[in-house]
Amino acid sequence: MCGIVGYVGPRSAQDVVVDGLRRLEYRGYDSAGIALVGEGDEVVVAKKAGKLANLEKVLADEPVEVAHTGIGHTRWATHGPPNDPNAHPHRGCASRVAVVHNGIIENFADLRARLEADDHVLVSETDTETVAHLLEMQVASGEDLTVAMQRVCQMLDGAFTLVAVDAEDPDRVVAARRNSPLVVGVGEGEMFLGSDVAAFIEHTREALELGQDQVVTLTREGVEVTDFAGRPAEATRYHVDWDLSAAEKDGHDWFMRKEIFEQPRAVADSLLGRRTREGLLQLDEMRLSDDEVRSIDKIIIIAAGTSFYAGLVAKYAIEHWCRVPVEVELSSEFRYRDPILDYSTLVVAISQSGETADTLQAIRHARAQRSKVLAICNTNGSTIPRESDAVIYTHAGPEIGVASTKGFLTQLVACYLLALYVAQVKGTRFGDEIAEILQQLEAMPDHIQSVLDGAEQVYDLARQHVDTKSVLFLGRHAGYPVALEGALKLKEIAYLHAEGFAAGELKHGPIALIEQDLPVLCVVPPRGRDQLHEKMLSGIQEVRARGARTICLAEAGDERIRPYADELVALPQVPVLLQPLVSVVPLQLFACELATALGHDVDQPRNLAKSVTVE
Ligand code: F6R
């Protein structure tokens, strides 16, 4: 949510910052802007409402002087509508300091009132502009920008990443973070800042992970980190294990489509290196002892959106393999219901970005109640794994399309691994059973590839639905979260009314929605579970009898489904608990192709942002 870039070094700061914003645009695209520090005594700012292309046009029409220090921002609006004045960067009265911000400053109304009482003129409706004025007051009184930032941060409540420049100190960029992401890119004679490493990956793969409540000062020569009180602080250095090609579309029209097709690789990578030489499962960072795992008597999974649906699938696997009760809860709701937690409850936080504010606050609440927290996360160095007791990293690589796809599949893999790990430690499954399931998991990349090989059939189906106003999705058991996820994908990128239902629940109300030719996508469980399969067939017959057009996803060779399917998409034969790994793929392809046919921007759907860092 909001992308932030900073640069100091020998290159054109405008080029570096605008390129960085292009790679971060998925985080917000309500407006974009840059601030450059050149020869003059004012910071030069260019900003424009709308996508980055609008800013690029402004810069092409009215070129600005070349500068070597700069900051930039791509916005997902919180305070104030997405117009030019509210676009970042913001400046103080003298235009000496400019600042960009991600997050929400909760006490901004007080700060603003105090500034206005002191005759400051604020020209935007944002909370950020108050910070520009406060910083400018500090530097005008003789402090350097680093001290100014430390002092101002102590006045702020809420979550923020701030990055600022001072026209009178042209070789310095200063940033601060609290509850909001920021990473430093370390180059040779140049330094970078970004909300994530994609901002600077084409220049350096050496990064610094900043801690909570830290201020960082960047010059060409190096980086200095302090806390808000000015005391020296440590930042952790790491090497980014993917390169620029991972952040490019690679011949596809959308990042989302590229990411769907990367899923066999992403799933395979997420399974790599999970077994010890003795064949036992191991997790990435397990700061929980075997005794602590054995004492777990309840698991609560917290997550948002697509990650929440991964959690719903996990419930089926964990309860079946580990015999431990599992609750799955939206992280935004978790804190407010006063959940019953103690040291024997394991809280599992699933987050692709590792920065989702609702999930972060939920894990803090859980830890305050003495529960252990295990994170499932795709982003190295992000806040959620840092604040957890244990981590399973997924290896999807950067997910840039706003709609999550490979993030979801790799979260499923991590959930299966977690379930098997708990089963191994608690002894609820025999070693050979665990080994057999691991083998089945290892076969999944090929199965996913076979679904992708049939993409044209799904694309044809999607293109037949450009005039559709509503689509329903049905599933049972582990296929139910898949139905929910299929509906979410369609809402997000095709802006269609779409709903997912548990097939057995239809007759309790939703069946009233069925009308002639309404498309209903049905996720049919494998036949291994005869009862489940039969019950699903009944649900499909019920909607078809009322005029629905049924598009059934069923395993190859399932002849029983044929009479009830207006369209049949074949899935590979896989175990019922693992079926979500293949059954969700046609639903992703369907949404991507339908949104494309409708002329929507698939990677940057309206009103959304990739990483939701505000509650
Ligand atoms: C849907 C989507 C969102 C995210 C949700 C959680 O396609 O991307 O629903 O799944 O915002 O994000 P993370 O997993 O980063 O916590």
Side-chain angles (χ1 to χ4, degrees), residues 256 302-309 331 349-360 376-379 384 399 401-405 407-408 411 485 488-489 492-493 608-612:
M256 180 183 179
I302 48 176
T306 290
S307 305
F308 173 72
Y309 298 146
S331 29
I350 308 179
S351 176
Q352 188 283 128
S353 63
E355 300 292 350
T356 298
D358 290 319
T359 308
L360 182 59
I376 291 178
C377 184
N378 192 42
T379 314
I384 288 173
E399 191 177 60
V402 163
S404 184
T405 52
F408 179 67
Q411 286 169 346
E485 170 63 1
L488 178 61
K489 290 283 93 82
E492 279 182 290
I493 59 172
L608 294 177
K610 182 74 184 159
S611 166
V612 186

mmCIF file of all heavy atoms in Angstrom, residues 256 302-309 331 349-360 376-379 384 399 401-405 407-408 411 485 488-489 492-493 608-612, ligand 1:
data_model
loop_
_atom_site.group_PDB
_atom_site.id
_atom_site.type_symbol
_atom_site.label_atom_id
_atom_site.label_comp_id
_atom_site.label_asym_id
_atom_site.label_seq_id
_atom_site.Cartn_x
_atom_site.Cartn_y
_atom_site.Cartn_z
ATOM 1 N N MET A 256 -0.073 -11.060 -13.768
ATOM 2 C CA MET A 256 -0.905 -12.122 -13.191
ATOM 3 C C MET A 256 -0.806 -13.389 -14.029
ATOM 4 O O MET A 256 -0.658 -14.490 -13.500
ATOM 5 C CB MET A 256 -2.360 -11.668 -13.091
ATOM 6 C CG MET A 256 -3.256 -12.757 -12.500
ATOM 7 S SD MET A 256 -4.972 -12.262 -12.467
ATOM 8 C CE MET A 256 -5.749 -13.715 -11.775
ATOM 9 N N ILE A 302 -4.820 -17.129 11.197
ATOM 10 C CA ILE A 302 -5.324 -15.774 10.913
ATOM 11 C C ILE A 302 -4.727 -15.289 9.597
ATOM 12 O O ILE A 302 -3.547 -15.520 9.307
ATOM 13 C CB ILE A 302 -4.987 -14.788 12.050
ATOM 14 C CG1 ILE A 302 -3.524 -14.911 12.449
ATOM 15 C CG2 ILE A 302 -5.902 -14.978 13.224
ATOM 16 C CD1 ILE A 302 -3.107 -13.901 13.483
ATOM 17 N N ALA A 303 -5.549 -14.652 8.797
ATOM 18 C CA ALA A 303 -5.092 -14.185 7.487
ATOM 19 C C ALA A 303 -6.195 -13.334 6.875
ATOM 20 O O ALA A 303 -7.301 -13.238 7.424
ATOM 21 C CB ALA A 303 -4.781 -15.382 6.576
ATOM 22 N N ALA A 304 -5.884 -12.740 5.719
ATOM 23 C CA ALA A 304 -6.863 -11.897 5.025
ATOM 24 C C ALA A 304 -6.966 -12.338 3.570
ATOM 25 O O ALA A 304 -6.003 -12.853 3.002
ATOM 26 C CB ALA A 304 -6.413 -10.435 5.079
ATOM 27 N N GLY A 305 -8.133 -12.144 2.992
ATOM 28 C CA GLY A 305 -8.331 -12.343 1.550
ATOM 29 C C GLY A 305 -7.962 -13.745 1.099
ATOM 30 O O GLY A 305 -8.349 -14.760 1.706
ATOM 31 N N THR A 306 -7.181 -13.806 0.046
ATOM 32 C CA THR A 306 -6.773 -15.096 -0.518
ATOM 33 C C THR A 306 -6.023 -15.938 0.512
ATOM 34 O O THR A 306 -6.199 -17.161 0.581
ATOM 35 C CB THR A 306 -5.900 -14.826 -1.760
ATOM 36 O OG1 THR A 306 -6.760 -14.300 -2.778
ATOM 37 C CG2 THR A 306 -5.208 -16.062 -2.269
ATOM 38 N N SER A 307 -5.213 -15.287 1.328
ATOM 39 C CA SER A 307 -4.444 -16.034 2.337
ATOM 40 C C SER A 307 -5.388 -16.688 3.350
ATOM 41 O O SER A 307 -5.105 -17.767 3.879
ATOM 42 C CB SER A 307 -3.479 -15.097 3.068
ATOM 43 O OG SER A 307 -2.662 -14.445 2.141
ATOM 44 N N PHE A 308 -6.513 -16.026 3.598
ATOM 45 C CA PHE A 308 -7.531 -16.602 4.496
ATOM 46 C C PHE A 308 -8.080 -17.891 3.883
ATOM 47 O O PHE A 308 -8.284 -18.898 4.585
ATOM 48 C CB PHE A 308 -8.641 -15.560 4.701
ATOM 49 C CG PHE A 308 -9.835 -16.053 5.471
ATOM 50 C CD1 PHE A 308 -9.756 -16.292 6.832
ATOM 51 C CD2 PHE A 308 -11.046 -16.270 4.833
ATOM 52 C CE1 PHE A 308 -10.872 -16.738 7.546
ATOM 53 C CE2 PHE A 308 -12.157 -16.720 5.534
ATOM 54 C CZ PHE A 308 -12.061 -16.954 6.899
ATOM 55 N N TYR A 309 -8.278 -17.881 2.568
ATOM 56 C CA TYR A 309 -8.798 -19.100 1.931
ATOM 57 C C TYR A 309 -7.760 -20.231 1.984
ATOM 58 O O TYR A 309 -8.127 -21.402 2.133
ATOM 59 C CB TYR A 309 -9.223 -18.813 0.485
ATOM 60 C CG TYR A 309 -10.344 -17.790 0.400
ATOM 61 C CD1 TYR A 309 -10.424 -16.884 -0.652
ATOM 62 C CD2 TYR A 309 -11.323 -17.719 1.394
ATOM 63 C CE1 TYR A 309 -11.442 -15.935 -0.703
ATOM 64 C CE2 TYR A 309 -12.333 -16.776 1.349
ATOM 65 C CZ TYR A 309 -12.390 -15.888 0.301
ATOM 66 O OH TYR A 309 -13.391 -14.960 0.254
ATOM 67 N N SER A 331 -8.041 -11.886 9.980
ATOM 68 C CA SER A 331 -7.198 -11.190 10.962
ATOM 69 C C SER A 331 -7.814 -9.879 11.403
ATOM 70 O O SER A 331 -7.624 -9.453 12.530
ATOM 71 C CB SER A 331 -5.772 -10.997 10.455
ATOM 72 O OG SER A 331 -5.698 -10.890 9.098
ATOM 73 N N ALA A 349 -0.046 -17.333 11.172
ATOM 74 C CA ALA A 349 -0.378 -16.122 10.401
ATOM 75 C C ALA A 349 0.074 -16.339 8.966
ATOM 76 O O ALA A 349 1.260 -16.589 8.723
ATOM 77 C CB ALA A 349 0.337 -14.919 10.988
ATOM 78 N N ILE A 350 -0.866 -16.273 8.041
ATOM 79 C CA ILE A 350 -0.499 -16.481 6.629
ATOM 80 C C ILE A 350 -0.536 -15.130 5.922
ATOM 81 O O ILE A 350 -1.554 -14.434 5.943
ATOM 82 C CB ILE A 350 -1.475 -17.449 5.931
ATOM 83 C CG1 ILE A 350 -1.623 -18.742 6.739
ATOM 84 C CG2 ILE A 350 -1.015 -17.750 4.511
ATOM 85 C CD1 ILE A 350 -2.599 -19.748 6.125
ATOM 86 N N SER A 351 0.567 -14.768 5.295
ATOM 87 C CA SER A 351 0.614 -13.485 4.585
ATOM 88 C C SER A 351 1.654 -13.539 3.480
ATOM 89 O O SER A 351 2.841 -13.763 3.750
ATOM 90 C CB SER A 351 0.949 -12.358 5.555
ATOM 91 O OG SER A 351 1.089 -11.155 4.861
ATOM 92 N N GLN A 352 1.228 -13.341 2.260
ATOM 93 C CA GLN A 352 2.160 -13.303 1.139
ATOM 94 C C GLN A 352 3.163 -12.173 1.339
ATOM 95 O O GLN A 352 4.363 -12.358 1.252
ATOM 96 C CB GLN A 352 1.369 -13.120 -0.158
ATOM 97 C CG GLN A 352 2.152 -13.233 -1.457
ATOM 98 C CD GLN A 352 2.990 -12.025 -1.794
ATOM 99 O OE1 GLN A 352 4.199 -12.153 -2.064
ATOM 100 N NE2 GLN A 352 2.430 -10.848 -1.766
ATOM 101 N N SER A 353 2.654 -10.977 1.617
ATOM 102 C CA SER A 353 3.514 -9.789 1.689
ATOM 103 C C SER A 353 4.292 -9.708 2.990
ATOM 104 O O SER A 353 5.355 -9.096 3.050
ATOM 105 C CB SER A 353 2.664 -8.532 1.568
ATOM 106 O OG SER A 353 1.758 -8.450 2.666
ATOM 107 N N GLY A 354 3.732 -10.289 4.057
ATOM 108 C CA GLY A 354 4.359 -10.160 5.368
ATOM 109 C C GLY A 354 4.166 -8.785 5.986
ATOM 110 O O GLY A 354 4.792 -8.462 7.002
ATOM 111 N N GLU A 355 3.317 -7.963 5.388
ATOM 112 C CA GLU A 355 3.154 -6.597 5.885
ATOM 113 C C GLU A 355 1.700 -6.251 6.178
ATOM 114 O O GLU A 355 1.436 -5.118 6.588
ATOM 115 C CB GLU A 355 3.697 -5.579 4.861
ATOM 116 C CG GLU A 355 5.167 -5.728 4.533
ATOM 117 C CD GLU A 355 6.093 -5.372 5.703
ATOM 118 O OE1 GLU A 355 5.596 -4.825 6.707
ATOM 119 O OE2 GLU A 355 7.283 -5.684 5.612
ATOM 120 N N THR A 356 0.763 -7.141 5.925
ATOM 121 C CA THR A 356 -0.656 -6.801 6.079
ATOM 122 C C THR A 356 -0.935 -6.346 7.516
ATOM 123 O O THR A 356 -0.733 -7.100 8.474
ATOM 124 C CB THR A 356 -1.507 -8.032 5.707
ATOM 125 O OG1 THR A 356 -1.227 -8.317 4.343
ATOM 126 C CG2 THR A 356 -2.992 -7.775 5.876
ATOM 127 N N ALA A 357 -1.402 -5.104 7.645
ATOM 128 C CA ALA A 357 -1.522 -4.492 8.977
ATOM 129 C C ALA A 357 -2.484 -5.273 9.868
ATOM 130 O O ALA A 357 -2.212 -5.467 11.062
ATOM 131 C CB ALA A 357 -1.973 -3.048 8.837
ATOM 132 N N ASP A 358 -3.601 -5.741 9.308
ATOM 133 C CA ASP A 358 -4.568 -6.475 10.129
ATOM 134 C C ASP A 358 -3.919 -7.734 10.720
ATOM 135 O O ASP A 358 -4.125 -8.074 11.888
ATOM 136 C CB ASP A 358 -5.774 -6.898 9.272
ATOM 137 C CG ASP A 358 -6.627 -5.707 8.860
ATOM 138 O OD1 ASP A 358 -6.846 -4.820 9.704
ATOM 139 O OD2 ASP A 358 -7.063 -5.661 7.697
ATOM 140 N N THR A 359 -3.145 -8.423 9.899
ATOM 141 C CA THR A 359 -2.514 -9.670 10.349
ATOM 142 C C THR A 359 -1.419 -9.370 11.366
ATOM 143 O O THR A 359 -1.266 -10.070 12.379
ATOM 144 C CB THR A 359 -1.989 -10.460 9.138
ATOM 145 O OG1 THR A 359 -3.057 -10.585 8.200
ATOM 146 C CG2 THR A 359 -1.487 -11.837 9.515
ATOM 147 N N LEU A 360 -0.668 -8.313 11.107
ATOM 148 C CA LEU A 360 0.399 -7.933 12.028
ATOM 149 C C LEU A 360 -0.169 -7.604 13.409
ATOM 150 O O LEU A 360 0.348 -8.068 14.442
ATOM 151 C CB LEU A 360 1.143 -6.719 11.447
ATOM 152 C CG LEU A 360 2.330 -6.200 12.224
ATOM 153 C CD1 LEU A 360 3.385 -7.293 12.379
ATOM 154 C CD2 LEU A 360 2.935 -4.998 11.501
ATOM 155 N N ILE A 376 3.558 -17.911 7.856
ATOM 156 C CA ILE A 376 3.773 -18.474 6.515
ATOM 157 C C ILE A 376 3.840 -17.265 5.600
ATOM 158 O O ILE A 376 2.872 -16.501 5.502
ATOM 159 C CB ILE A 376 2.625 -19.425 6.138
ATOM 160 C CG1 ILE A 376 2.701 -20.678 7.005
ATOM 161 C CG2 ILE A 376 2.673 -19.771 4.645
ATOM 162 C CD1 ILE A 376 1.600 -21.689 6.769
ATOM 163 N N CYS A 377 4.978 -17.049 4.980
ATOM 164 C CA CYS A 377 5.195 -15.754 4.326
ATOM 165 C C CYS A 377 6.065 -15.915 3.081
ATOM 166 O O CYS A 377 6.929 -16.776 3.023
ATOM 167 C CB CYS A 377 5.873 -14.818 5.320
ATOM 168 S SG CYS A 377 6.074 -13.162 4.670
ATOM 169 N N ASN A 378 5.849 -15.031 2.112
ATOM 170 C CA ASN A 378 6.632 -15.090 0.871
ATOM 171 C C ASN A 378 7.716 -14.026 0.812
ATOM 172 O O ASN A 378 8.466 -13.987 -0.143
ATOM 173 C CB ASN A 378 5.670 -14.921 -0.323
ATOM 174 C CG ASN A 378 6.321 -15.254 -1.634
ATOM 175 O OD1 ASN A 378 7.060 -16.249 -1.728
ATOM 176 N ND2 ASN A 378 6.102 -14.444 -2.652
ATOM 177 N N THR A 379 7.762 -13.134 1.802
ATOM 178 C CA THR A 379 8.649 -11.981 1.663
ATOM 179 C C THR A 379 9.685 -11.951 2.772
ATOM 180 O O THR A 379 9.387 -11.608 3.921
ATOM 181 C CB THR A 379 7.824 -10.670 1.645
ATOM 182 O OG1 THR A 379 6.735 -10.869 0.756
ATOM 183 C CG2 THR A 379 8.660 -9.510 1.181
ATOM 184 N N ILE A 384 6.022 -9.431 9.454
ATOM 185 C CA ILE A 384 5.290 -10.531 10.106
ATOM 186 C C ILE A 384 6.225 -11.694 10.476
ATOM 187 O O ILE A 384 6.223 -12.129 11.643
ATOM 188 C CB ILE A 384 4.072 -10.949 9.255
ATOM 189 C CG1 ILE A 384 3.015 -9.831 9.352
ATOM 190 C CG2 ILE A 384 3.505 -12.301 9.685
ATOM 191 C CD1 ILE A 384 1.820 -9.985 8.444
ATOM 192 N N GLU A 399 5.571 -11.529 -6.164
ATOM 193 C CA GLU A 399 4.232 -11.562 -6.770
ATOM 194 C C GLU A 399 3.834 -10.100 -7.012
ATOM 195 O O GLU A 399 3.678 -9.324 -6.069
ATOM 196 C CB GLU A 399 3.238 -12.251 -5.843
ATOM 197 C CG GLU A 399 1.926 -12.536 -6.551
ATOM 198 C CD GLU A 399 0.943 -13.282 -5.652
ATOM 199 O OE1 GLU A 399 0.581 -12.753 -4.586
ATOM 200 O OE2 GLU A 399 0.532 -14.391 -6.019
ATOM 201 N N GLY A 401 1.393 -9.001 -9.728
ATOM 202 C CA GLY A 401 -0.032 -8.844 -10.029
ATOM 203 C C GLY A 401 -0.776 -8.667 -8.707
ATOM 204 O O GLY A 401 -0.476 -9.370 -7.734
ATOM 205 N N VAL A 402 -1.701 -7.726 -8.667
ATOM 206 C CA VAL A 402 -2.386 -7.458 -7.394
ATOM 207 C C VAL A 402 -3.180 -8.681 -6.932
ATOM 208 O O VAL A 402 -3.246 -8.985 -5.744
ATOM 209 C CB VAL A 402 -3.264 -6.188 -7.519
ATOM 210 C CG1 VAL A 402 -4.282 -6.108 -6.394
ATOM 211 C CG2 VAL A 402 -2.363 -4.959 -7.482
ATOM 212 N N ALA A 403 -3.786 -9.400 -7.875
ATOM 213 C CA ALA A 403 -4.534 -10.603 -7.505
ATOM 214 C C ALA A 403 -3.548 -11.743 -7.237
ATOM 215 O O ALA A 403 -2.752 -12.106 -8.099
ATOM 216 C CB ALA A 403 -5.492 -10.980 -8.617
ATOM 217 N N SER A 404 -3.642 -12.301 -6.064
ATOM 218 C CA SER A 404 -2.683 -13.339 -5.675
ATOM 219 C C SER A 404 -2.973 -14.665 -6.386
ATOM 220 O O SER A 404 -4.121 -15.108 -6.435
ATOM 221 C CB SER A 404 -2.775 -13.544 -4.161
ATOM 222 O OG SER A 404 -1.808 -14.465 -3.744
ATOM 223 N N THR A 405 -1.940 -15.294 -6.926
ATOM 224 C CA THR A 405 -2.107 -16.590 -7.604
ATOM 225 C C THR A 405 -1.037 -17.569 -7.101
ATOM 226 O O THR A 405 -1.336 -18.443 -6.293
ATOM 227 C CB THR A 405 -2.002 -16.422 -9.134
ATOM 228 O OG1 THR A 405 -0.799 -15.721 -9.445
ATOM 229 C CG2 THR A 405 -3.211 -15.694 -9.690
ATOM 230 N N GLY A 407 1.137 -16.919 -5.044
ATOM 231 C CA GLY A 407 1.191 -16.731 -3.591
ATOM 232 C C GLY A 407 0.286 -17.745 -2.914
ATOM 233 O O GLY A 407 0.675 -18.397 -1.946
ATOM 234 N N PHE A 408 -0.933 -17.892 -3.443
ATOM 235 C CA PHE A 408 -1.914 -18.814 -2.860
ATOM 236 C C PHE A 408 -1.428 -20.259 -2.937
ATOM 237 O O PHE A 408 -1.447 -20.998 -1.939
ATOM 238 C CB PHE A 408 -3.244 -18.654 -3.605
ATOM 239 C CG PHE A 408 -4.348 -19.569 -3.136
ATOM 240 C CD1 PHE A 408 -4.896 -19.430 -1.876
ATOM 241 C CD2 PHE A 408 -4.857 -20.558 -3.967
ATOM 242 C CE1 PHE A 408 -5.937 -20.260 -1.440
ATOM 243 C CE2 PHE A 408 -5.891 -21.383 -3.547
ATOM 244 C CZ PHE A 408 -6.431 -21.238 -2.275
ATOM 245 N N GLN A 411 1.277 -20.913 -0.549
ATOM 246 C CA GLN A 411 0.770 -20.927 0.844
ATOM 247 C C GLN A 411 0.145 -22.282 1.149
ATOM 248 O O GLN A 411 0.301 -22.826 2.250
ATOM 249 C CB GLN A 411 -0.285 -19.840 1.032
ATOM 250 C CG GLN A 411 0.300 -18.441 1.101
ATOM 251 C CD GLN A 411 -0.753 -17.358 1.010
ATOM 252 O OE1 GLN A 411 -1.900 -17.621 0.645
ATOM 253 N NE2 GLN A 411 -0.379 -16.133 1.323
ATOM 254 N N GLU A 485 -12.280 -18.659 -3.415
ATOM 255 C CA GLU A 485 -11.142 -18.003 -4.066
ATOM 256 C C GLU A 485 -11.449 -17.694 -5.540
ATOM 257 O O GLU A 485 -11.096 -16.629 -6.051
ATOM 258 C CB GLU A 485 -9.890 -18.894 -3.923
ATOM 259 C CG GLU A 485 -8.668 -18.486 -4.724
ATOM 260 C CD GLU A 485 -8.065 -17.128 -4.351
ATOM 261 O OE1 GLU A 485 -8.570 -16.467 -3.433
ATOM 262 O OE2 GLU A 485 -7.110 -16.722 -5.037
ATOM 263 N N LEU A 488 -13.525 -14.634 -5.518
ATOM 264 C CA LEU A 488 -12.746 -13.423 -5.183
ATOM 265 C C LEU A 488 -11.946 -12.953 -6.399
ATOM 266 O O LEU A 488 -11.901 -11.758 -6.709
ATOM 267 C CB LEU A 488 -11.808 -13.709 -4.003
ATOM 268 C CG LEU A 488 -10.897 -12.541 -3.588
ATOM 269 C CD1 LEU A 488 -11.706 -11.322 -3.145
ATOM 270 C CD2 LEU A 488 -9.943 -12.944 -2.470
ATOM 271 N N LYS A 489 -11.342 -13.902 -7.117
ATOM 272 C CA LYS A 489 -10.543 -13.516 -8.292
ATOM 273 C C LYS A 489 -11.411 -12.754 -9.290
ATOM 274 O O LYS A 489 -10.993 -11.752 -9.861
ATOM 275 C CB LYS A 489 -9.936 -14.744 -8.989
ATOM 276 C CG LYS A 489 -8.853 -15.449 -8.246
ATOM 277 C CD LYS A 489 -7.490 -14.764 -8.289
ATOM 278 C CE LYS A 489 -7.242 -13.832 -7.140
ATOM 279 N NZ LYS A 489 -6.811 -14.324 -5.894
ATOM 280 N N GLU A 492 -12.316 -9.217 -7.990
ATOM 281 C CA GLU A 492 -11.172 -8.314 -7.965
ATOM 282 C C GLU A 492 -10.816 -7.757 -9.321
ATOM 283 O O GLU A 492 -10.526 -6.575 -9.445
ATOM 284 C CB GLU A 492 -9.914 -9.094 -7.528
ATOM 285 C CG GLU A 492 -9.728 -9.316 -6.102
ATOM 286 C CD GLU A 492 -8.419 -10.040 -5.882
ATOM 287 O OE1 GLU A 492 -8.309 -11.226 -6.241
ATOM 288 O OE2 GLU A 492 -7.506 -9.415 -5.365
ATOM 289 N N ILE A 493 -10.777 -8.622 -10.331
ATOM 290 C CA ILE A 493 -10.190 -8.141 -11.588
ATOM 291 C C ILE A 493 -11.214 -7.998 -12.699
ATOM 292 O O ILE A 493 -10.992 -7.247 -13.638
ATOM 293 C CB ILE A 493 -9.002 -9.032 -12.046
ATOM 294 C CG1 ILE A 493 -9.431 -10.477 -12.251
ATOM 295 C CG2 ILE A 493 -7.863 -8.941 -11.043
ATOM 296 C CD1 ILE A 493 -8.334 -11.309 -12.881
ATOM 297 N N LEU A 608 -7.752 -1.172 -5.505
ATOM 298 C CA LEU A 608 -6.969 -2.157 -4.738
ATOM 299 C C LEU A 608 -5.495 -1.776 -4.679
ATOM 300 O O LEU A 608 -5.026 -0.960 -5.458
ATOM 301 C CB LEU A 608 -7.091 -3.539 -5.370
ATOM 302 C CG LEU A 608 -8.469 -4.173 -5.335
ATOM 303 C CD1 LEU A 608 -8.443 -5.501 -6.069
ATOM 304 C CD2 LEU A 608 -8.893 -4.400 -3.893
ATOM 305 N N ALA A 609 -4.797 -2.377 -3.750
ATOM 306 C CA ALA A 609 -3.340 -2.270 -3.699
ATOM 307 C C ALA A 609 -2.827 -3.608 -3.221
ATOM 308 O O ALA A 609 -3.550 -4.367 -2.580
ATOM 309 C CB ALA A 609 -2.919 -1.183 -2.728
ATOM 310 N N LYS A 610 -1.571 -3.886 -3.550
ATOM 311 C CA LYS A 610 -1.061 -5.236 -3.285
ATOM 312 C C LYS A 610 -0.865 -5.505 -1.799
ATOM 313 O O LYS A 610 -1.208 -6.551 -1.305
ATOM 314 C CB LYS A 610 0.265 -5.392 -4.029
ATOM 315 C CG LYS A 610 0.893 -6.743 -3.899
ATOM 316 C CD LYS A 610 0.167 -7.767 -4.731
ATOM 317 C CE LYS A 610 0.704 -9.151 -4.562
ATOM 318 N NZ LYS A 610 -0.295 -10.151 -4.967
ATOM 319 N N SER A 611 -0.279 -4.545 -1.130
ATOM 320 C CA SER A 611 0.134 -4.831 0.233
ATOM 321 C C SER A 611 -0.624 -3.856 1.132
ATOM 322 O O SER A 611 -0.465 -2.649 1.019
ATOM 323 C CB SER A 611 1.650 -4.630 0.280
ATOM 324 O OG SER A 611 2.114 -4.579 1.559
ATOM 325 N N VAL A 612 -1.493 -4.391 1.981
ATOM 326 C CA VAL A 612 -2.449 -3.526 2.678
ATOM 327 C C VAL A 612 -1.901 -3.185 4.060
ATOM 328 O O VAL A 612 -2.141 -3.895 5.040
ATOM 329 C CB VAL A 612 -3.838 -4.197 2.748
ATOM 330 C CG1 VAL A 612 -4.868 -3.250 3.342
ATOM 331 C CG2 VAL A 612 -4.279 -4.592 1.345
HETATM 332 C C1 F6R B 1 -6.447 -11.337 -3.397
HETATM 333 C C2 F6R B 1 -5.387 -10.716 -2.638
HETATM 334 C C3 F6R B 1 -5.696 -10.238 -1.266
HETATM 335 C C4 F6R B 1 -4.594 -10.708 -0.289
HETATM 336 C C5 F6R B 1 -4.828 -10.114 1.104
HETATM 337 C C6 F6R B 1 -3.796 -10.585 2.095
HETATM 338 O O1 F6R B 1 -6.023 -11.726 -4.660
HETATM 339 O O2 F6R B 1 -4.285 -10.591 -3.086
HETATM 340 O O3 F6R B 1 -6.946 -10.666 -0.841
HETATM 341 O O4 F6R B 1 -4.599 -12.096 -0.255
HETATM 342 O O5 F6R B 1 -4.789 -8.710 1.036
HETATM 343 O O6 F6R B 1 -2.508 -10.217 1.725
HETATM 344 P P1 F6R B 1 -1.231 -10.890 2.352
HETATM 345 O O7 F6R B 1 -1.254 -12.321 1.978
HETATM 346 O O8 F6R B 1 -0.078 -10.154 1.746
HETATM 347 O O9 F6R B 1 -1.324 -10.703 3.835
#
